[in-house]
Amino acid sequence: MGDAKQVRDEEFRRFVIGRWAGLVRTAFLLTGDRYAAEDLAQSTLERTYTAWRRVSAADEPDAYVRRIMINAHARRHRRRLKEFLAPKDDSGLVREPVDTADPMARADDRDALLEALAQLPARQREAVVLRYWEDLTETQTARAMGCSVGTVKSNTAKGIAKLRDVPALAEAVPQGGRK
């Protein structure tokens, strides 16, 4: 029994090491605050650990964990906890290597992008983050958000339209949207 627990704990430890930076980045995009992002990522991993047998056996463990994160974020939002969405300093945020193929990673004015993203309503922000930063399909995003594909399309379209209205982002936001 003890050996099985040690093996499970080691699998979970490797999972956390491999996913921590991405989880914090996604949480930061959802919350807009470095410390809230770390708290959200940590609480997500706490819930993941308690469900590790189901998570590790899932076809898409990352999708399972994203769903846990979205649910945890939604619970905080429902409780009406104030989020500070336009951080002054994100220097402590764990950085991933920049993917030069990702146009959003190359955005010249990151502060303007984060500030504009922070102005979106929570569901629009979730849809845009999951679709464009996490590069999920509409179906995967719908599963993560616990809604229909139509709701994802609507929230994404509204969010992108609001981002297009920000002059500093006019060139960074794709004009045709995702197909």
Side-chain angles (χ1 to χ4, degrees), residues 93-135:
L93 186 63
V94 177
R95 304 265 187 234
E96 290 184 84
V98 173
D99 178 5
T100 56
D102 179 5
M104 297 312 277
R106 295 183 316 229
D108 290 333
D109 195 349
R110 186 169 189 261
D111 291 335
L113 179 60
L114 290 173
E115 189 173 324
L117 187 61
Q119 301 307 311
L120 297 177
R123 295 298 277 181
Q124 289 176 17
R125 186 170 61 248
E126 289 171 3
V128 170
V129 167
L130 292 173
R131 288 284 290 131
Y132 288 93
W133 272 271
E134 291 296 316
D135 201 28

Side-chain angles (χ1 to χ4, degrees), residues 50-122:
T50 61
W52 184 244
R53 283 187 181 152
R54 288 187 308 270
V55 173
S56 63
D59 290 337
E60 296 180 50
D62 291 324
Y64 199 121
V65 173
R66 274 192 300 272
R67 179 61 189 256
I68 292 171
M69 179 177 283
I70 293 296
N71 288 343
H73 181 255
R75 273 191 299 280
R76 289 179 182 189
H77 190 268
R78 278 192 297 266
R79 290 183 195 145
R80 306 263 189 253
L81 292 178
K82 180 162 175 65
E83 293 179 351
F84 298 97
L85 294 173
K88 300 269 190 265
D89 175 31
D90 66 350
S91 59
L93 186 63
V94 177
R95 304 265 187 234
E96 290 184 84
V98 173
D99 178 5
T100 56
D102 179 5
M104 297 312 277
R106 295 183 316 229
D108 290 333
D109 195 349
R110 186 169 189 261
D111 291 335
L113 179 60
L114 290 173
E115 189 173 324
L117 187 61
Q119 301 307 311
L120 297 177

